[in-house]
Amino acid sequence: MKVKIWGCRGSLPTPGPKTVKYGGNTTCYELRSDSGELLIIDAGSGIRELGLALLPELPVRSHIVISHTHWDHIMGYPFFTPLYIPGNSFDIYGPIHFNFSFEDVMKKQMDYTFFPVRMEELAAELKFHDIKEGEHQIGSFHVQVQYMNHPVLCLGFRIQVDGKTFVFTGDTEPYFDTVYGDREPQNEEEREEKEELDAFVQSQNQRVIEFLRDADLVIYDGAYTLEEYPPKKGWGHSPMEHCIETSLEANVKKLIITHHDPTRTDDQLDELLPGFLADLKSQGASMDLEFAVEGQTHQL
Ligand SMILES: [Zn+2]
Ligand SMILES: [Zn+2]
């Protein structure tokens, strides 16, 4: 399996001289099985370039899985040229919503108020699928879906093909106690409640470790450093140190930290990496660690 990064910026496309090296496009990954079958993860602005790269291989038949429908993960969809070409076909999977279908959400951003072409005018054959946590067979890709910790329903994907395992966490942060926070329980009843909450939080974080277990490659949302994290707690993104710790516990072979904050410059990422690598070395850990770089391909 090959994984190519078409977009690894979080929240908003961030072009300019300070983001040339790691890239400014928002989330999009291309997976290729050894037989050439294509599965696309997320339709951030990076999918536009991917669309152009696919034009020499028409007709395109592909699966697209969407982790969640925050704008930075779907904004490139209307600019994905293969959607406009008859003969192409796409099965598009996204998180189930309670009050409307996943297809409706994707249609909304192509409402005439926001975009000049309606979804009905797209010439490719499109099939939408609402998916939940669980096991899914998508072509030759075996996809295990797990809900992650983000302010909207967000799917993490554990994908197995050709005997390799790849995990994309989607946007996520560590589970924490949202009821008590830093407040100490005041009486026995509260102490009991806090104990139950702590156990639940711990079990949820352990579930993430198991989801990553023994993966060949994990691409993990680590938008912040641990130092930057406290005022951003609850925004749905992890500190880099947490991505590293979780992946180590899960015996991951290679970790790529992604969803770079729009304010993060190439120089800052370059400065952060050696410290993390030195920490891993001092622990005797063999896990590879990199920051996601737009345009890079990783062979598993
Ligand atoms: Zn995001
Ligand atoms: Zn998000």
Side-chain angles (χ1 to χ4, degrees):
M1 166 176 23
K2 267 189 210 155
V3 179
K4 181 163 183 183
I5 301 170
W6 290 92
C8 50
R9 187 63 52 176
S11 310
L12 191 76
T14 314
K18 291 177 179 166
T19 57
V20 169
K21 180 174 172 184
Y22 291 91
N25 277 308
T26 63
T27 307
C28 179
Y29 300 97
E30 172 191 1
L31 268 64
R32 290 274 183 178
S33 70
D34 293 348
S35 67
E37 194 173 345
L38 173 62
L39 183 146
I40 298 165
I41 301 181
D42 281 356
S45 67
I47 203 172
R48 191 188 70 83
E49 286 280 344
L50 168 58
L52 299 179
L54 291 173
L55 294 182
E57 44 178 293
L58 299 178
V60 180
R61 296 188 196 288
S62 172
H63 321 285
I64 303 178
V65 295
I66 301 288
S67 63
H68 65 305
T69 48
H70 277 162
W71 200 24
D72 53 324
H73 297 256
I74 60 167
M75 58 172 36
Y77 177 80
F79 298 91
F80 184 51
T81 306
L83 296 177
Y84 295 85
I85 301 172
N88 292 342
S89 65
F90 298 92
D91 278 274
I92 309 176
Y93 302 79
I96 192 162
H97 289 71
F98 297 107
N99 35 358
F100 30 66
S101 69
F102 166 59
E103 182 175 2
D104 288 338
V105 185
M106 296 301 280
K107 264 186 185 167
K108 270 185 197 172
Q109 71 164 343
M110 294 185 78
D111 182 279
Y112 212 59
T113 316
F114 305 116
F115 197 72
V117 184
R118 290 187 181 85
M119 190 118 109
E120 289 77 11
E121 295 173 52
L122 299 179
E125 189 190 327
L126 307 177
K127 272 189 219 140
F128 285 86
H129 309 265
D130 296 59
I131 53 171
K132 298 182 194 172
E133 189 167 278
E135 310 275 334
H136 304 269
Q137 192 64 38
I138 299 181
S140 57
F141 299 91
H142 181 263
V143 183
Q144 187 186 338
V145 169
Q146 185 160 309
Y147 298 144
M148 306 304 283
N149 190 26
H150 199 58
V152 69
L153 189 64
C154 181
L155 312 178
F157 303 111
R158 180 182 171 96
I159 300 175
Q160 290 173 305
V161 70
D162 308 323
K164 297 288 179 183
T165 302
F166 165 71
V167 177
F168 173 61
T169 65
D171 287 8
T172 192
E173 74 177 303
Y175 288 89
F176 61 93
D177 173 0
T178 52
V179 179
Y180 284 87
D182 295 331
R183 184 172 79 80
E184 288 298 319
Q186 297 300 308
N187 53 48
E188 196 49 41
E189 199 183 321
E190 285 197 352
R191 262 187 289 280
E192 271 177 32
E193 188 186 44
K194 171 103 176 92
E195 238 172 66
E196 271 177 36
L197 281 168
D198 286 346
F200 178 70
V201 165
Q202 207 193 341
S203 73
Q204 289 298 99
N205 285 323
Q206 187 61 38
R207 245 186 124 229
V208 175
I209 295 171
E210 296 315 320
F211 188 57
L212 268 53
R213 178 70 66 200
D214 298 329
D216 295 286
L217 174 64
V218 171
I219 297 190
Y220 206 136
D221 167 10
Y224 313 124
T225 64
L226 198 56
E227 198 185 347
E228 295 163 346
Y229 180 59
K232 299 168 195 298
K233 199 169 175 174
W235 291 13
H237 307 289
S238 302
M240 298 165 183
E241 290 84 344
H242 175 80
C243 305
I244 296 170
E245 205 176 296
T246 305
S247 301
L248 276 177
E249 283 218 37
N251 191 38
V252 166
K253 289 196 182 67
K254 182 175 189 170
L255 166 65
I256 294 181
I257 294 177
T258 194
H259 210 277
H260 309 313
D261 190 81
T263 62
R264 183 85 59 212
T265 64
D266 289 339
D267 288 349
Q268 287 172 348
L269 287 169
D270 281 343
E271 278 165 28
L272 282 164
L273 192 62
F276 291 138
L277 292 174
D279 279 353
L280 285 175
K281 202 175 171 191
S282 69
Q283 292 177 56
S286 60
M287 183 176 77
D288 290 329
L289 169 68
E290 294 174 19
F291 286 122
V293 179
E294 187 178 316
Q296 263 189 2
T297 301
H298 299 267
Q299 175 77 50
L300 273 65

